[in-house]
Amino acid sequence: MSKIIYTLTDEAPRLATYSFLPVIEAYAAKAGVGVESRDISLAARILAQFPERLAPEQVEPDALAELGALADVAEANIIKLPNISASVPQLKAAIVELRSQGFDLPDYPDEPSTPEEKDARARYDRVKGSAVNPVLRQGNSDRRAPASVKQYVRNHPHRMGAWSSDSKTNVATMGVDDFRSNETSTIVENEGTVSIEFFGADGEHTVLRPSVAVKKGEVVDATVMRTAQLRAFFEAQIERAAAEGVLFSVHLKATMMKVSDPIMFGHAIRAYFGDVFDRFGADLAAAGLNPNDGLGALLDGLSALPNGDEITAAFQERLATGPEIAMVDSDRGITNLHVPSDVIVDASMPAMIRSSGHMWGKDGAEHDTLAVIPDSSYAGIYQTVLDDCRAHGAFDPTTLGSVPNVGLMAQAAEEYGSHDKTFEATAAGTIKVLDASGTALLTHEVARGDIWRMCQTKDVAIRDWVRLAVTRARATGAPAVFWLDPTRAHDAVLTGLVNGYLAELDTDGLQIEIMSPVDAMTFSLERIRRGEDTISVTGNVLRDYLTDLFPIMELGTSAKMLSVVPLLAGGGLFETGAGGSAPKHVTQLVKEDYLRWDSLGEFLALAASFEHLATSTGNARAQILADTLDRATATFLDENKSPSRSVGSIDNRGSHFYLALYWAQEIAKQTADAALAADFAQLAGTLAGAEDVINGELIAVQGSPVDIGGYYRPDDAKATAVMRPSATFNDAIASL
């Protein structure tokens, strides 16, 4: 039997799965396709690290490792829903919840000293940040807006905030002494290993990583963020925001960049609360309170200190009298400095651009903002968009073209593969990347506290990326633009490789360009405003940035993008969109039994999964399911059956009912397989006839609090009962 692996993840996508997965299983079975689930949630990943501490019935298999191995075989067909990229506060919260559920887990040690603490910390660090994506993404990325979704948005445009030509919103970035400016890059000549070693100015020698495997032809980079200059930069931007009368807001990615960006976030807090740390920094450090975890964690931990009230008052006084900080939740006083994972640059910047260049102030009103993005590698693209909106006004979804993306991410390419090779310098000295003979390939001087990292990009990934770009350009006829900065070390090396690999491919009749990110953004914006499409061909980080930015302008959300990862081994990974709003949806469900999560991304990924299965296995019924699901999704959009915003209307569960109805109707109408049509004609009739009853059952439960048994690890029985409250709908699906 052909099979699809459907991942169980976190928050709202996990809850939606309780409702939608039974539909998928029932429909797929009629095509001889098995659907199996694998739990790669944060909770499951934590539990998988400590099997020896758990009772036999509590042990979780390492599903992520299993799927990582599966991604390397041609038969892989994995549907991957959004998962938590855990910051330290989220990781600690998940540990607390799991322990309350009876799982014997150790504390997360901030400063491990004993062998047991160091072991626990190492295990927890394996699931911290974006631990899932580098494992599963064993291929490059193809993200685009499906035609049905694009047409729906043109007919039903989302709201875009008006822009003023005198907007004071801008981006601030370092430009010097940062990762971009200090980067060096080389191509490895021979397969083997390299080591990362620290040579202290005082003669100390520490091997940071004794052995990192490298392959012939891969690109290896190293760079350093100088934190003394970073601190001065933050202080200058705080003063600038105050002088210009705009909000101060730091935009990092403390989830995917789980080592470097939390450290930079901590420096932002130290810069803003400089006087507080001058007075009480020793007390905070002695209590294990780390600003890298965010202002919220600091304030929460102060109650245990003898002078906690005094320190709390000092923080609150600075918040009250200092330059205004952008707010995550002004009603609750949650600033952009409270939690490192609250303001993620690829989601927060498009949201700000869509909202007239505004963020929320502590007064609950919108204000112009100074968006502080320390590293200058990609900050310029956002300033380009801000300037474009000042000059030309808000984007119009009814006329916009599209900017699909081909992203280089296979085999943990570029910055996102740097987690285990990122270090905070413990003293002044030199960090070197040495080959097996001891020859230094890359060298950087560092001061105490500087952030050094090494990245790798495999040659096979680069070749596949170039091939995929040409394939998409040929399929669409749109120009393909490689976003590569000739003045950045890594990009300069890639430019030479890209030109060489393009020469080996058939590019006749295609428009393929190489431009710096700022020039590529200008080119793409000019075209998108004319209604023209442009394929962006980018590295891993820009892939994330652009596939939030353009979809939020074009579609209102990145969740409506089709995200396909053609795996290098021949299989397929089908991603279902972003999960940035998922936490708010869970809060609403628990409070009033209403889930606003939009499963459109799941619908799009599922159709692509069935199509891939049909192509790779010759399963004709799988192709019918793919084609009919596409048509059903178009009807779903035309009939506006996505979840509404308020109690008393259809939510995520109702949207699944309508998708099941339209899908059954489309299968019943197709003529390629009469037996399949007959099976689904009966179901379609049952669902259509019971529409009012099913809607009544789904809506009747709304409005009251519900218990799902846990935020990070819901109780399956409780969550199933909440997410499948219509007996009529459940019975109809079971009848298949």
Side-chain angles (χ1 to χ4, degrees):
M1 175 185 279
S2 306
K3 72 177 180 181
I4 293 170
I5 303 296
Y6 200 87
T7 57
L8 307 178
T9 57
D10 304 285
E11 299 176 325
R14 173 64 168 257
L15 295 172
T17 298
Y18 286 107
S19 170
F20 189 44
L21 187 56
V23 176
I24 300 172
E25 292 169 338
Y27 283 52
K30 287 296 182 181
V33 176
V35 180
E36 300 178 4
S37 61
R38 296 292 187 276
D39 193 343
I40 58 170
S41 65
L42 175 59
R45 299 191 329 261
I46 290 172
L47 294 177
Q49 295 299 316
F50 298 96
E52 78 283 357
R53 297 179 67 113
L54 305 178
E57 67 275 9
Q58 293 179 319
V59 173
E60 281 282 349
D62 192 344
L64 180 58
E66 178 193 349
L67 293 187
L70 179 62
D72 284 331
V73 301
E75 295 76 23
N77 190 313
I78 304 167
I79 296 178
K80 190 260 177 189
L81 279 71
N83 61 280
I84 292 175
S85 295
S87 63
V88 171
Q90 288 174 308
L91 184 59
K92 290 179 177 178
I95 295 166
V96 169
E97 178 179 298
L98 289 167
R99 291 175 70 167
S100 74
Q101 295 174 343
F103 295 96
D104 178 26
L105 296 173
D107 287 327
Y108 178 88
D110 289 299
E111 301 291 340
S113 56
T114 67
E116 292 77 16
E117 289 177 340
K118 291 178 180 179
D119 175 64
R121 174 64 179 266
R123 297 196 205 191
Y124 280 132
D125 283 351
R126 292 178 198 141
V127 300
K128 188 170 68 177
S130 184
V132 172
N133 293 338
V135 174
L136 297 187
R137 288 175 172 168
Q138 298 304 308
N140 292 310
S141 171
D142 173 9
R143 288 184 174 179
R144 56 190 186 271
S148 59
V149 176
K150 191 72 175 172
Q151 189 57 51
Y152 169 78
V153 170
R154 285 175 172 156
N155 294 338
H156 307 276
H158 48 278
R159 187 187 70 81
M160 299 289 288
W163 268 79
S164 169
S165 60
D166 60 2
S167 166
K168 294 188 290 183
T169 293
N170 283 294
V171 171
T173 192
M174 293 178 69
V176 295
D177 296 313
D178 60 359
F179 286 130
R180 180 196 173 282
S181 60
N182 290 322
E183 187 175 66
T184 56
S185 185
T186 189
I187 297 177
V188 175
E189 294 183 357
N190 299 298
E191 182 166 346
T193 62
V194 299
S195 63
I196 302 171
E197 304 187 25
F198 171 73
F199 297 87
D202 60 358
E204 176 191 355
H205 174 221
T206 304
V207 178
L208 301 174
R209 280 290 304 274
S211 179
V212 179
V214 292
K215 294 185 177 180
K216 178 180 173 59
E218 82 171 75
V219 179
V220 176
D221 316 312
T223 188
V224 61
M225 168 68 74
R226 306 207 179 281
T227 52
Q229 290 82 350
L230 172 69
R231 184 78 156 272
F233 165 75
F234 277 135
E235 291 169 351
Q237 303 321 308
I238 292 166
E239 293 179 4
R240 174 184 170 185
E244 295 180 1
V246 298
L247 302 178
F248 172 76
S249 184
V250 176
H251 298 256
L252 292 164
K253 189 143 188 173
T255 50
M256 291 289 280
M257 303 309 300
K258 61 185 179 181
V259 179
S260 60
D261 284 29
I263 296 172
M264 290 192 284
F265 189 83
H267 282 291
I269 292 175
R270 289 184 179 94
Y272 188 89
F273 297 99
D275 290 344
V276 180
F277 278 89
D278 287 344
R279 294 167 59 195
F280 303 109
D283 296 330
L284 295 171
L289 298 178
N290 190 337
N292 297 4
D293 295 342
L295 177 60
L298 291 177
L299 294 174
D300 289 344
L302 290 176
S303 60
L305 273 65
N307 59 343
D309 290 344
E310 182 185 4
I311 302 174
T312 299
F315 277 117
Q316 296 298 347
E317 181 182 4
R318 175 59 173 166
L319 285 173
T321 61
E324 280 209 43
I325 305 175
M327 306 295 287
V328 169
D329 188 332
S330 54
D331 291 340
R332 296 192 297 138
I334 307 300
T335 73
N336 281 17
L337 295 180
H338 265 67
V339 181
S341 56
D342 271 353
V343 184
I344 302 302
V345 58
D346 46 329
S348 60
M349 288 301 295
M352 184 182 78
I353 292 164
R354 183 180 170 185
S355 300
S356 310
H358 295 157
M359 297 189 77
W360 295 99
K362 62 184 178 183
D363 59 358
E366 295 183 21
H367 299 275
D368 289 343
T369 303
L370 182 63
V372 179
I373 305 174
D375 182 45
S376 59
S377 295
Y378 310 110
I381 67 166
Y382 291 119
Q383 185 65 52
T384 302
V385 179
L386 297 178
D387 292 340
D388 180 86
C389 289
R390 257 189 291 268
H392 303 292
F395 297 103
D396 180 359
T398 65
T399 60
L400 283 181
S402 192
V403 183
N405 179 264
V406 173
L408 173 58
M409 67 178 195
Q411 300 188 345
E414 301 184 320
E415 294 97 332
Y416 287 168
S418 68
H419 307 134
D420 60 346
K421 297 177 287 291
T422 300
F423 304 95
E424 188 175 19
T426 56
T430 305
I431 296 180
K432 298 181 180 182
V433 178
L434 305 175
D435 67 13
S437 69
T439 301
L441 302 179
L442 303 167
T443 300
H444 287 92
E445 300 296 322
V446 296
R448 178 180 172 83
D450 284 353
I451 308 164
W452 183 95
R453 74 180 184 211
M454 186 185 108
C455 310
Q456 299 172 259
T457 311
K458 301 291 189 292
D459 183 61
V460 65
I462 300 169
R463 288 178 180 272
D464 181 77
W465 176 56
V466 176
R467 179 200 58 77
L468 184 57
V470 172
T471 300
R472 293 305 302 158
R474 179 76 64 193
T476 62
V481 180
F482 286 84
W483 296 44
L484 295 171
D485 182 351
T487 66
R488 180 182 169 190
H490 169 79
D491 285 9
V493 172
L494 250 62
T495 297
L497 295 173
V498 167
N499 280 323
Y501 298 151
L502 284 173
E504 299 173 3
L505 300 169
D506 177 12
T507 59
D508 288 349
L510 304 180
Q511 182 181 353
I512 298 179
E513 310 279 355
I514 299 176
M515 300 182 186
S516 72
V518 167
D519 290 342
M521 178 61 80
T522 300
F523 178 75
S524 301
L525 290 175
E526 289 172 352
R527 289 180 56 84
I528 197 175
R529 285 190 182 271
R530 295 197 300 263
E532 299 172 340
D533 299 346
T534 312
I535 301 169
S536 58
V537 189
T538 72
N540 208 347
V541 173
L542 270 177
R543 171 192 58 82
D544 259 1
Y545 290 9
L546 299 188
T547 55
D548 266 327
L549 174 64
F550 285 113
I552 287 174
M553 303 303 116
E554 296 178 39
L555 311 176
T557 172
S558 57
K560 294 180 179 178
M561 289 284 279
L562 175 62
S563 183
V564 178
V565 181
L567 298 172
L568 297 178
L573 175 68
F574 307 92
E575 299 185 286
T576 69
S581 60
K584 296 178 182 177
H585 294 339
V586 178
T587 300
Q588 185 179 15
L589 175 79
V590 172
K591 182 179 179 181
E592 52 191 17
D593 201 356
Y594 189 89
L595 186 65
R596 273 176 50 202
W597 176 256
D598 187 345
S599 287
L600 179 62
E602 287 100 286
F603 306 160
L604 300 174
L606 181 61
S609 170
F610 277 126
E611 183 170 31
H612 176 80
L613 197 68
T615 301
S616 60
T617 66
N619 185 328
R621 283 193 164 184
Q623 187 63 57
I624 291 172
L625 291 184
D627 294 340
T628 53
L629 179 52
D630 273 336
R631 294 195 291 272
T633 301
T635 302
F636 174 89
L637 291 169
D638 288 340
E639 295 294 329
N640 196 24
K641 297 303 183 183
S642 296
S644 301
R645 299 182 69 86
S646 57
V647 170
S649 52
I650 67 165
D651 70 347
N652 176 263
R653 297 164 290 192
S655 72
H656 294 160
F657 159 65
Y658 278 105
L659 190 281
L661 169 61
Y662 300 146
W663 194 6
Q665 289 173 335
E666 290 294 341
I667 298 172
K669 287 191 293 186
Q670 57 81 32
T671 57
D673 189 319
L676 192 65
D679 283 342
F680 280 90
Q682 182 174 351
L683 176 62
T686 299
L687 294 177
E691 178 180 0
D692 291 341
V693 173
I694 293 171
N695 271 327
E697 292 173 344
L698 293 174
I699 293 174
V701 298
Q702 297 175 11
S704 301
V706 292
D707 177 16
I708 57 174
Y711 182 92
Y712 293 97
R713 188 176 184 274
D715 179 274
D716 286 341
K718 291 179 178 179
T720 297
V722 169
M723 291 305 301
R724 303 193 72 200
S726 171
T728 305
F729 182 39
N730 299 345
D731 290 345
I733 296 301
S735 72
L736 273 178

